[in-house]
Amino acid sequence: MTSTDATDTPESAPEGGSRGGAGVAGNERLTALTGAVLLVLFAVEIVTLIQLRGLMPLHFFVGVLLIGPVAVKTASTGWRFVRYYARHPAYRRKGPPNPMMRVLSPLLLLFTVAVIGSGVALAFTGPAPPVLLKLHVVSFLGWLALILVHVAVYVSRVPRLIAEDWRTRRRPGTPPEGRAARLGANAAALVAAAIPAALLLPAATVWAGWLEQPVTGPGVVAITLSVILALALAFRRGRRR
């Protein structure tokens, strides 16, 4: 988003262009806000792995709760993708997504669906199916590597975009257009996902006697390498600036 966005100078742009620019800015802010919500939930979910046996109910609850914000973020990024490749003028002016992320983002979505889907399935089946459990672990490790790269690429933009959404843009006391809708979309997604998350909590008791820790050995190495890669990418981006 640039300082010449149509929402900044509506009087200098045609009416259609102003609305188009506002739509692009709103889409970007929705993606940033939802990304921040997901980052917090992802962090909590990863922390539960430290003591999974004791934190299994929280692991279950947050895992299902993630479905809501993931759906919102998929919709917002998918909308930008469709509008850009449909050659919508405002989205074309905004430019294409990061080239690397155009390749990695579909993989990230695939691994996200795999790790959440297998986790929900395990809530119903318990730890008995070894194939399903291995799928959950492998998809988690792949997801972790991709999400760390994703965060390294985009994390510097998120605070600015969220802050912009809380600044007055036209006159004092007037909130940025669509802010309530963006907050409402995230709140509704969380509430909608919290209902099945709460209903599935009793399933966590099936895992009470489970003595295995899914992420061990090679998993720890994979996590360590992923963190190093994410830090290296973030450092490289910082030096370019």
Side-chain angles (χ1 to χ4, degrees):
M1 184 173 165
T2 65
S3 59
T4 57
D5 189 274
T7 54
D8 291 333
T9 55
E11 70 279 1
S12 63
E15 184 180 352
S18 177
R19 281 198 295 266
V24 173
N27 175 268
E28 190 174 28
R29 291 172 182 176
L30 174 61
T31 302
L33 178 60
T34 311
V37 172
L38 283 170
L39 186 60
V40 172
L41 294 177
F42 286 150
V44 173
E45 190 74 338
I46 292 172
V47 166
T48 63
L49 296 175
I50 298 172
Q51 186 52 256
L52 189 56
R53 282 173 291 177
L55 298 174
M56 186 63 81
L58 180 61
H59 186 78
F60 267 56
F61 183 83
V62 175
V64 179
L65 189 64
L66 282 165
I67 295 174
V70 165
V72 174
K73 193 166 188 293
T74 301
S76 67
T77 53
W79 177 256
R80 179 188 174 186
F81 176 89
V82 170
R83 298 295 274 173
Y84 177 81
Y85 287 104
R87 308 191 69 82
H88 185 280
Y91 284 86
R92 298 294 290 188
R93 284 195 299 271
K94 177 65 181 175
N98 181 290
M100 178 176 67
M101 296 314 299
R102 271 187 282 178
V103 176
L104 295 184
S105 291
L107 290 175
L108 176 59
L109 177 60
L110 178 65
F111 275 96
T112 301
V113 171
V115 71
I116 294 178
S118 60
V120 172
L122 285 167
F124 288 99
T125 65
V131 173
L132 192 57
L133 187 58
K134 288 178 181 178
L135 172 63
H136 188 60
V137 174
V138 171
S139 59
F140 165 74
L141 294 174
W143 168 85
L144 182 64
L146 291 169
I147 197 64
L148 287 170
V149 175
H150 187 85
V151 169
V153 170
Y154 290 116
V155 70
S156 61
R157 306 181 193 178
V158 172
R160 172 180 59 83
L161 288 167
I162 293 177
E164 285 179 354
D165 216 10
W166 289 90
R167 294 174 187 160
T168 55
R169 306 291 285 179
R170 297 179 182 175
R171 63 180 185 274
T174 302
E177 183 180 352
R179 185 175 71 191
R182 288 185 283 276
L183 290 172
N186 278 277
L190 288 171
V191 170
I195 297 172
L199 292 175
L200 279 176
L201 273 179
T205 58
V206 179
W207 294 77
W210 189 57
L211 301 178
E212 297 182 58
Q213 182 79 8
V215 183
T216 57
V220 174
V221 174
I223 291 172
T224 303
L225 291 176
S226 298
V227 172
I228 292 173
L229 175 61
L231 292 174
L233 286 171
F235 178 74
R236 184 179 178 185
R237 285 173 60 81
R239 290 193 64 182
R240 285 180 177 178
R241 293 180 183 178

